[in-house]
Each structure stands twice: as C-alpha cells, then as structure tokens.
Amino acid sequence: MSTAARRLAAVAAAALLGSVLAPGAATAAIPDYTTAEAGNPIVDGWYADPDVAVYNNTFWVYPTTSKGYSEQTYLDAFSSTDLVNWTRHPNVLTKANVSWASSAMWAPAPIQRNGRYYLYFAANDIQNNSALGGIGVAVADNPAGPYRDAIGRPLIGQFYNGAQPIDQDVFIDDDGQAYIYYGGWSHANVAKLNADMTSLGTFSDGSTFKEITPSGYVEGPQMFKRNGKYYLMWSEGGWTGPDYSVSYAMSNSPTGPFTKLDKVLTQDPTVAKGSGHNSVINVPGTDTWYILYHRRPLAETDGNHRQLAYDRMTFNADGTIQRITMRVKDNFADNNALGWKTYGGAWSTSGGRYVAGNSLGGKAQLDTNFGDFSYDADVTVTSGGGDAGLTFRVSNAASGTDSYNGYYAGISPAGRVVLGRAANNWASLGTANLTVTAGTSYHLRVTAIGSSIKVYVDDLTNPKISVTDGTFAAGSDGVRVFNAAATFDNVVVGAPVGAGVNVAQGRPATGSAACAASEGPEKAVNGSVSGGNSDKFCSSVAGAWLQVDLGSTRSISRFELAHAQAGGEAASMNTKAFTISVSNDGTTWTQAVNVTANTAATTTHTVSGVSGRYVRLNVGTPTQTTEVATRIYELRVFS
C-alpha cells in the first residue's frame, strides 16, 4: 500500500497478520501469493485508482468509480481479511456529503489518525484557479463511512507549481509527520499536513508546496517506506491508452529528490492494457508486498472500462524493485469467475471450483492473447461419456459445439486424451490412450511454442500428445466440455515451462554493435539455426556481448550456444572463450559459466542453483583465429 508505515500502525504493530486477521482464527494463513491467486480482477465492476489501508486487521481498498465524469458522484470501498474474499461497501462517500463537489470524484486516499478515519479525494476536475474544486478531506468514525466533508471547502483548491489538484496520497512518517503528495498535468507536489489532518503546514523555509516532479511523471503519486528508504511511484502515459504505466524513484528523504529508476509495470499484450495508478500492499509484520492497480481488459475499448488487480512486488538486495509480471491464475477460492466469459453451457462456481454442466461444447474464456505459453489446470470429468479440457489460441468464440477458431485438449472417461483444432468444424490432431476415472482430478498442461503443441496429463515430463500445427498463432485461453459435466481448478497461464522449453526464445535481446543490420541480437533468440548471415548475431566489437530478458526470474538448469559451425560456417569461427552470467535486475550479475578453450559447434552448459531474469553472454575470444567477429546463431536457456 502507499504509505506503508502509517498504515501498519493501524494494526497496532501486529507481529504476524496470520494470527490477527480474524478474531478467533489464530491459524489463518498469512497472504503470501504470487498474484491474485483467485483471479484478477479481484472485484466485480468498473473501478480505477485504488488505494489501500489496513484497519482493525482488515484490508480496505478505496477506488474511483470508473464512469463518465458526471456519474462519478460517489465512492465505494471493498474490505477483505485475506486478499481473496472481498465485501463491497457502497457509497462510503457521496457528493451529498460534500457541499462543493459536483462530479469527477477521484482517487480516494485513506488514513487513520487520532481514532478517526480520513478519506482524501479529488472532485470537479478543475482546469483553472477560477473554478471550484480540487482536493478535499472527509472524515468518519468507521472505515465503511459514511464519510462527511471535514472542512466545508477544498483542502487544496488552486494550481501550485503547475500541478492540477488531483490524485492525492497521504503518508505519515515514523516521526509522526504527515505529508500529502498529489498532482496532475505532469507536475507533482508534496506538502505537510498538520496533526489535525485537515490543514496544511509549512516547511522550514516557510513554503507550503514543494515540487518533486520526476522525469516522465504524469499523475498518480504514491509514497511508501521500506527499510528506511522512501519510494515514490507514479503513472505515465495516457489514462485511456495502452501506454499507461507505473514508474518509481527512491530517496533518503520523504521530500526527495526523486530520480526515476525504472518503469516497473506496463501493459502486457497477452494479459491486459492500460495498467497504472497504483498503490502498494504490505502484509503487516512481513516483507510481502503487492502492487494494486487498475487495468483494461484486452477486448475493451471504452476508456472507463477499468478493473482492479494486484500482483506480487519483489525487491532486489539493493532495495530496487523488480519489474512486475501480470500473472494469470484462478483457483476459484473466492467462489466467483470474474474475468471469464461463457459461450453456451451452464456455468457456476462451488466449493472453490469452476463447474460446467453437461453440454455439447459449452466454453468459458479468459480475455487473454497468448501465443507461446504453458497452460495448466486441474480437470475433473464428473459425468457423461464425452470429454472436458482446455481451449487455447482461441478467437471468434460463440455458442455452439465447434463455434470458435482455436485448439482444444481434453480427457475422457472413455479412456483417451484428445487434441484437435476447431474452425466451426472439428479436425482431430491427435489422441492417446489414458485411463480416466469420472470424479478424479487430473492435471492437464498444454505447452505451445510456435507450431509445436504438447499435451501432458499428470506426468509433466512426457507428453501424451505432441504435434506440429501452426494454423492459429495466438488467442484466448479457456475451458470446455463436450457431452460431459466437469469441474476446473488451479488455472495458470504463462510463459512456457518444462525441461525441454527454451525460455529465451522470442524474448527481447540486446547486444554490442552488430556487423550488419541483418545480424542483430534478435537473431540469436529466434529459435532457429538456418545458416548464413540471415540467422546469426554477429558483432566485431572487442568484448562483444549478447543479453536476453526472460521476462521474469526463472530457475535455470542449462544453457546452450550454437556457434558459427552450427550455422554452416567454418569450425575456426566457433567462439573460443566466453562467460554466461545471470541477473535479477540487469545491474548486479553472477557468473554461471566460464569457458576458455571451446572448439565445438554447439556447447551445452548444465548448471544448478542458478536463477535470474536476465542472461548475458560476454565474449573474450571470438574465434579460433585472429578473426574478430563473434558469431552466435542461438542462445538457448532452459528452465
């Protein structure tokens, strides 16, 4: 959450949240997830700009109601003791309780002090100093409100240092001093709040507002403190566009200076777009952190169609934040199926599972667009003689047995695994014999990389079906039944995994200056070795290097390098001396491989205890001769 220090005080410095979240439930688990394990979005409805507080051992989320400005006349809240099950509290603040507010009530920021609950908000979207509006403060005796205007006027109702008075966040430091951070129109200010939390103080130089705008800043500042360091996060890009994103800075002072370090959350064209305006959740008594933000589903074009989501936030040893991955999971522990869209059949949630009644082809799809991936789920056929399983690379979904373009892999109590392709008709791609017992759960995995499709059932090492079919390259993921009823659980979709998966393939690659434009670093991660200048990374720079971003930190079992001879060139051109290093942040590196006298065309380097997000090849001696050009046809990394 933004303002971690003051919000931890709200739980009276509880040692472990697991022992205090619910009275009488001392064994409750501490929320320790890789993402929203029960699925993003976390709540139903269009919401944006979430902020978080921990009150009375409960997480409280206060978002903007994402509608047209004239309809933004109220604020809802959501509460949870476990970050899984959420209760909606409607109308915690309405314009009826703020005499000067008429519309555009935005970005509530909650805080507790002196036994009272404060909610800071923006209203009226003022465009100049002649308009009435800006940042207000409301107060209540209960986290669920009702909140009422505390001072009868805006707390900040003018432009200072060019900052539009919107998007406020409030932080109380360890010494008790409270600060308010705010600003739109690409300017950010900080001011002191007095102990009454309803008036502004001054800095030692007599000023009330200090500009702290970092590079790239647009709006949505959020402040938190960890291990003595102050973190300022903010949003960049346009709020209706796919480029909306989150960057951050660190400082030794709550007033900066704040120098941008990195953009840590951006859209993912496989998962969601327009990700931004965040806050941060710290589970009290732990070093477990999440980024809470809004994002827009891939299929939505309305700028106000935004939803609340959270993902794990991880820190490097030096305190910097690792880039955040939007993960796709749903274990249905909240007994809802938010984010799923059904096409035919009967669908419900019960007992922490997604339940499909018997139908001839009922489907439920996520709004994803994965091309290369591994898709895992637990599938139980409960009745019927047909099959149930996973759909993937789907487009044009509609009600009807084979009314979609894409693939399907399923299991049947008739004793088989099936894989096929649909395009308003059915084409079988493969079958395998397998004993399937109705009422028994089976773990299905589909791994698709390019035209290679593999289907696994329980045994995740040896595929039951392995085929080549490149008809459909990307699309949504879902579940399906055919002449059967079934339940689904523990859905996970992400980057390809498995001993035989090259996790570097197709990932962003950089390197030293290439010999020619057609010989750039991307050629070393394209998954092929075809020979000639068309399919290699070549660099004549002394100390040539090649780096690939795996997208997230991965455990690594081996590296492979295809050198010059693998692409059809002379053996004398094989790389002679090189190292391979890994890094979690792209700055601090750990050497994993050191080769001084290679002559082989392809080299394999098995490692243990190695992990990282970034892999870097550094070349010492490029060839077996005096030739200075490094030639790498493929860098493969296996997780």
Side-chain angles (χ1 to χ4, degrees), residues 34 45 54-55 132 162 185 213 220 227 258 268 306 427 568:
T34 60
V54 180
Y55 297 145
L132 175 63
W185 289 16
T213 308
N227 293 343
F258 295 105
D268 184 334
R306 296 173 288 178

Side-chain angles (χ1 to χ4, degrees), residues 408-427:
Y408 165 75
I411 56 173
S412 171
R416 64 179 182 270
V417 185
V418 300
L419 172 65
R421 183 181 67 238
N424 295 313
N425 53 38
W426 178 253

Side-chain angles (χ1 to χ4, degrees), residues 2-355:
S2 53
T3 69
R6 45 89 174 179
R7 289 170 186 172
L8 296 190
V11 292
L16 288 174
L17 186 62
S19 64
V20 299
L21 272 179
T27 59
I30 297 170
D32 186 9
Y33 314 132
T34 60
T35 181
E37 304 280 340
N40 283 316
I42 60 172
V43 300
D44 195 15
W46 303 123
Y47 292 97
D49 313 333
D51 204 351
V52 188
V54 180
Y55 297 145
N56 302 321
N57 312 327
T58 299
F59 298 97
W60 285 82
V61 172
Y62 298 83
T64 298
T65 303
S66 193
K67 296 183 176 182
Y69 291 2
S70 64
E71 299 176 90
Q72 292 177 319
T73 58
Y74 65 93
L75 298 170
D76 295 338
F78 297 87
S79 64
S80 174
T81 58
D82 57 8
L83 297 179
V84 174
N85 299 284
W86 295 91
T87 299
R88 178 174 173 263
H89 305 270
N91 300 317
V92 297
L93 175 65
T94 71
K95 76 171 186 177
N97 289 329
V98 184
S99 61
W100 53 271
S102 61
S103 62
M105 296 180 71
W106 292 343
I111 196 167
Q112 181 188 34
R113 195 167 207 180
N114 304 324
R116 306 203 77 188
Y117 300 91
Y118 296 88
L119 196 63
Y120 298 78
F121 61 95
N124 299 354
D125 185 31
I126 64 171
Q127 303 295 299
N128 54 62
N129 285 335
S130 299
L132 175 63
I135 295 171
V137 54
V139 65
D141 295 321
N142 186 291
Y147 287 85
R148 299 181 182 277
D149 188 4
I151 58 177
R153 56 177 171 78
L155 175 67
I156 304 173
Q158 301 279 292
F159 285 69
Y160 300 98
N161 303 318
Q164 185 188 26
I166 62 169
D167 289 4
Q168 58 291 321
D169 185 48
V170 178
F171 167 74
I172 298 178
D173 206 353
D174 298 334
D175 62 2
Q177 177 61 59
Y179 299 87
I180 185 168
Y181 301 80
Y182 76 93
W185 289 16
S186 298
H187 291 277
N189 286 337
V190 61
K192 286 186 175 182
L193 281 166
N194 292 323
D196 62 10
M197 303 301 287
T198 60
S199 62
L200 301 178
T202 58
F203 293 100
S204 59
D205 62 2
S207 65
T208 302
F209 301 95
K210 288 187 178 295
E211 184 167 9
I212 54 169
T213 308
S215 173
Y217 175 92
V218 173
E219 60 193 12
Q222 293 286 313
M223 167 60 63
F224 69 95
K225 189 176 184 180
R226 177 182 180 270
N227 293 343
K229 295 290 186 180
Y230 298 87
Y231 292 76
L232 181 70
M233 305 184 84
W234 65 89
S235 294
E236 300 182 0
W239 71 272
T240 61
D243 61 336
Y244 207 49
S245 53
V246 176
S247 293
Y248 83 104
M250 296 170 61
S251 179
N252 293 321
S253 166
T255 58
F258 295 105
T259 301
K260 178 177 175 177
L261 291 175
D262 196 13
K263 185 176 288 190
V264 294
L265 177 67
T266 64
Q267 77 154 354
D268 184 334
T270 67
V271 180
K273 56 190 175 182
S275 51
H277 203 124
N278 75 292
S279 57
V280 179
I281 302 169
N282 174 226
V283 178
T286 77
D287 197 32
T288 298
W289 299 78
Y290 303 94
I291 184 168
L292 176 68
Y293 59 98
H294 73 242
R295 67 194 199 187
R296 189 172 298 106
L298 294 176
E300 293 292 340
T301 57
D302 188 321
N304 283 314
H305 285 184
R306 296 173 288 178
Q307 298 175 319
L308 303 187
Y310 71 80
D311 283 290
R312 190 64 173 259
M313 190 164 75
T314 304
F315 295 84
N316 298 307
D318 62 359
T320 55
I321 304 172
Q322 294 183 18
R323 291 183 178 178
I324 292 146
T325 300
M326 291 191 212
R327 301 189 186 278
V328 177
K329 290 189 174 184
D330 201 337
N331 63 13
F332 306 100
D334 54 1
N335 279 315
N336 68 51
L338 298 177
W340 294 82
K341 185 175 181 180
T342 61
Y343 302 88
W347 298 86
S348 62
T349 52
S350 177
R353 293 186 175 188
Y354 201 17
V355 180

Side-chain angles (χ1 to χ4, degrees), residues 380-404:
T380 304
V381 180
T382 54
S383 65
D387 45 69
L390 313 181
T391 56
F392 53 98
R393 292 181 174 174
V394 168
S395 61
N396 301 320
S399 296
T401 300
D402 298 314
S403 297
Y404 62 103

